[in-house]
Amino acid sequence: MAELALKIIRQTVNKIKGALMLKLTSDGAQITLTGQSAPKGDGLFWFGSALLIGAIGVAMAMSLLPERLAIGALGVLIVACFIFNGLRQKQKKQMASCISTGKLEVRVGSFTHHVAGKPNQVIIASDDTITVTGDELVILDANNAPKCRVSGFESAKEAQVMQALLQGQQFGKRNANIKMQSN
């Protein structure tokens, strides 16, 4: 119930400040993303919990079992830790390439993602492919492997503007009056 109320409030606030979601600048554009970063499951949490229980089990095994079995249990724990670290690094890398919140400063050939005060620059190579599907922008490298996925746009037009800027198209600024009506 609270999540639904929060979602409605966010949508209302986004409609109110909708004109501020895309701002053209002299060298590109600033885009504010309104999406939410969705966790990709809690499998690593349970794996880490099992590792913790396993470490306690190995500690008990070292005091209760013969040396060979205790060393074997310790070896199994070390291998499990190695696997856990590999999975964690893989998930971290996948999450870093999925952008759905924050502010984007888009220029020809690159963009900078600002979230939580940390800038992260993504440079588009000449052989990268940029596609827009609905309101999601996907950047593929030369091997057709996903390099970056950007979602959370207010509309598909913002994704198309970002695509055009990254591909080298320039936009001219026009002054216009925007009138907002309250209901």
Side-chain angles (χ1 to χ4, degrees):
M1 181 76 173
E3 288 181 28
L4 179 63
L6 186 60
K7 185 177 179 181
I8 292 170
I9 290 170
R10 281 188 183 146
Q11 289 174 348
T12 305
V13 168
N14 289 338
K15 286 179 183 176
I16 291 171
K17 64 179 188 176
L20 303 175
M21 303 314 262
L22 172 66
K23 178 182 174 188
L24 292 178
T25 61
S26 59
D27 64 342
Q30 287 184 346
I31 300 173
T32 303
L33 301 176
T34 59
Q36 296 179 358
S37 56
K40 299 286 183 190
D42 57 355
L44 284 181
F45 171 77
W46 292 113
F47 193 89
S49 299
L51 269 176
L52 180 62
I53 293 169
I56 293 169
V58 166
M60 289 177 52
M62 292 185 110
S63 63
L64 299 175
L65 295 176
E67 278 182 27
R68 287 183 183 228
L69 291 176
I71 291 172
L74 186 61
V76 168
L77 181 66
I78 290 171
V79 169
C81 286
F82 182 75
I83 292 169
F84 176 76
N85 260 348
L87 292 172
R88 189 174 56 96
Q89 291 299 329
K90 184 178 176 183
Q91 185 182 34
K92 238 178 164 179
K93 187 176 178 183
Q94 286 175 346
M95 293 304 290
S97 68
C98 294
I99 300 171
S100 62
T101 59
K103 221 175 205 166
L104 300 175
E105 290 180 14
V106 185
R107 290 178 207 85
V108 174
S110 72
F111 68 92
T112 305
H113 176 228
H114 296 273
V115 66
K118 296 180 184 178
N120 180 26
Q121 185 172 22
V122 177
I123 298 174
I124 309 302
S126 60
D127 54 356
D128 287 351
T129 307
I130 305 167
T131 58
V132 174
T133 308
D135 61 350
E136 183 176 78
L137 183 129
V138 179
I139 301 169
L140 304 171
D141 64 10
N143 300 324
N144 283 334
K147 183 176 184 178
C148 186
R149 182 178 307 270
V150 183
S151 61
F153 294 104
E154 174 85 2
S155 68
K157 287 287 185 192
E158 287 182 353
Q160 292 166 356
V161 167
M162 183 173 176
Q163 178 187 26
L165 280 169
L166 290 174
Q167 291 175 337
Q169 185 176 346
Q170 293 288 336
F171 289 93
K173 290 170 60 172
R174 291 185 295 183
N175 293 331
N177 292 331
I178 300 173
K179 296 180 182 177
M180 297 180 71
Q181 297 177 348
S182 62
N183 293 348

